[in-house]
Every structure is written in C-alpha cells, then in structure tokens.
C-alpha cells in the first residue's frame, strides 16, 4: 500500500513542474516587458535634450519671472471700411453736364436710358408713396454731397424706392440763386441707383425739392428684387 501511494505521488509531480515552468516563463516575460518600458521612458525623457542640445536652467532670480501678456489685435472694422470705400467710389463731380439729360418741360425731370417714359409720368403724378426724405438746408457743398450719397446708398440697401430730396429754392443765398439745386441734379444723374427723378409737386416742395425713384434692391442670397 505504501509503495503504491508513493508512485502515485511521483506521478502528481508532472503537472506541478509544468505549472512552475509556466510561471517562471511568465515572470521572465514580465521582467523583459518592464525593462523595455523603462528603456522607452528613458528615451522619451532624453528626446527633448537630444533635439535641442544642452540646456542651462534660469538663475534663481529669474525663475519666477512673468512674461508680459500679449494682447490680441483689435478686430478690423470691415463694415466701416466698406462704407468708406463706397464713399470714395461715389465722389460725385460738380463739373458733370446734366443739362442734356434733363427734360425741360413744365418741370425738370430725368430718366435713365432704357426707362419707360411712363415712369416719369407716374412719378410726377405721385403714384409712388414717398418713403424717406433728406433735407440739405444749411449744409455746405461737401457736406451735402456726402449726405446725399449716404442717403441714397442706405435707402437702396433698405429696399426703399421713392425718396424726396429737399435742396431749397436759394431764397436765402447771395443773389437769391439756388446754390444746391443744380449740384443735386448733377449728383443724382451720376448715381447708378437712381432710375428717374422729377421736380416735386407744389405740396411736396415744388421747385425746392426733387422726388426720385431708385432701382429695385436685390437680395444677394435669393437674387430677388423688390417690385416696382
């Protein structure tokens, strides 16, 4: 009985030896993996030094130095620049000869080439409601030119069609001559937004004002224009 139990115990040592061998192999692999990880970590730590070369730490009195904060540049005022550029492009000439473009009937009128004469008749008859007006009384020539350009540009951008510009009859000017009237007519003819204009009816200022019709404003996204 004793001999039989001893042989059976020796037979049990095989699986144990295999288990110990497997454990030793795993431990060896783990040691190799740890050594490889340590080598990689050392290589990463020295990567910066290898790239830039030897470095020298800051002296103690500079170690806590705070560098000045860089302020971001101010944003560019694109809309203002565009408006100023538009003003430069609309420098209206006072030397422009408008007389050949005006119809001198019972009241002065103008229509851009290609515009139906009926537009002037309807404009003179008040078939368009005046949507906005500009009074140039008291302005110097340069101020009036700039004000008129901005007025037409902004009104056209807003989709307005019918405007009135009051230039005065010149009763308070030296020689009682209408200083602004002739200039306003010259400026209006040079504005591409203006389709036509007529002297205002007596109730709307008569010879001291003009009523003008603007081109339809088109939506830049849909390309649809306001109706006439």
């Amino acid at each position: 009985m004793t001999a039989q139990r001893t042989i059976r115990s020796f037979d049990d040592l095989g699986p144990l030896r295999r288990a110990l061998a497997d454990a030793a192999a795993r431990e060896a692999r783990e040691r190799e993996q740890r050594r490889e990880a340590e080598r990689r970590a050392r290589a990463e730590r020295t990567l910066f030094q290898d790239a830039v070369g030897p470095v020298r730490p800051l002296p103690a009195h500079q170690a806590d130095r705070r560098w000045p904060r860089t302020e971001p540049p101010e944003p560019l005022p694109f809309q203002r620049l565009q408006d100023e550029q538009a003003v430069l492009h609309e420098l209206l000439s006072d030397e422009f000869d408008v007389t050949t473009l005006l119809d001198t009937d019972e009241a002065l009128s103008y229509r851009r080439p290609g515009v139906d004469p009926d537009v002037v008749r309807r404009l003179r008859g008040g078939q368009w409601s005046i949507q906005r007006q500009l009074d140039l009384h008291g302005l110097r020539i340069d101020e009036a030119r700039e004000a008129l350009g901005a007025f037409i540009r902004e009104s056209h951008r807003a989709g307005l069609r019918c405007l009135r510009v009051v230039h005065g009859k010149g009763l308070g000017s030296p020689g009682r001559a209408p200083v602004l009237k002739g200039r306003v007519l010259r400026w209006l003819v040079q504005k591409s937004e203006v389709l036509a204009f007529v002297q205002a009816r007596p109730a709307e200022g008569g010879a001291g004002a003009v009523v003008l019709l603007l081109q339809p404003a088109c939506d830049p996204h849909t390309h649809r224009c306001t109706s006439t």
Side-chain angles (χ1 to χ4, degrees), residues 63-189:
D64 294 332
R65 181 176 179 180
R66 288 172 172 77
W67 301 98
R69 180 180 178 183
T70 303
E71 295 295 334
E74 295 185 1
L76 292 175
F78 285 112
Q79 186 59 53
R80 179 171 61 81
L81 293 176
Q82 290 176 353
D83 290 342
E84 291 176 354
Q85 190 66 25
V87 171
L88 291 177
H89 283 299
E90 66 181 15
L91 291 178
L92 306 176
S93 172
D94 292 334
E95 306 302 324
F96 189 85
D97 184 7
V98 72
T99 57
T100 60
L101 300 175
L102 297 177
D103 295 328
T104 53
D105 44 17
E106 72 274 10
L108 292 178
S109 65
Y110 162 80
R111 59 185 173 88
R112 189 168 294 281
V115 175
D116 193 317
D118 189 56
V119 171
V120 171
R121 182 185 62 77
R122 294 169 59 196
L123 189 61
R124 182 174 290 147
Q127 295 189 30
W128 277 284
S129 298
I130 295 175
Q131 298 170 292
R132 186 178 291 176
Q133 81 166 19
L134 172 68
D135 191 342
L136 299 175
H137 277 110
L139 298 184
R140 297 192 299 269
I141 299 298
D142 290 343
E143 293 174 336
R145 181 192 295 110
E146 183 176 344
L148 180 64
F151 174 66
I152 292 177
R153 184 175 64 253
E154 293 169 4
S155 298
H156 183 258
R157 184 183 300 168
L160 304 182
R161 298 299 310 281
C162 189
L163 310 175
R164 176 170 54 203
V165 176
V166 179
H167 47 66
K169 298 179 180 179
L171 300 180
S173 303
R176 299 173 67 86
V179 176
L180 279 179
K181 181 175 182 177
R183 296 178 185 271
V184 167
L185 300 182
R186 293 188 186 97
W187 298 338
L188 289 177
V189 168

Side-chain angles (χ1 to χ4, degrees), residues 201-215:
R201 294 181 296 174
E204 297 169 346
V210 292
V211 177
L212 55 102
L213 184 69
L214 299 184
Q215 298 268 13

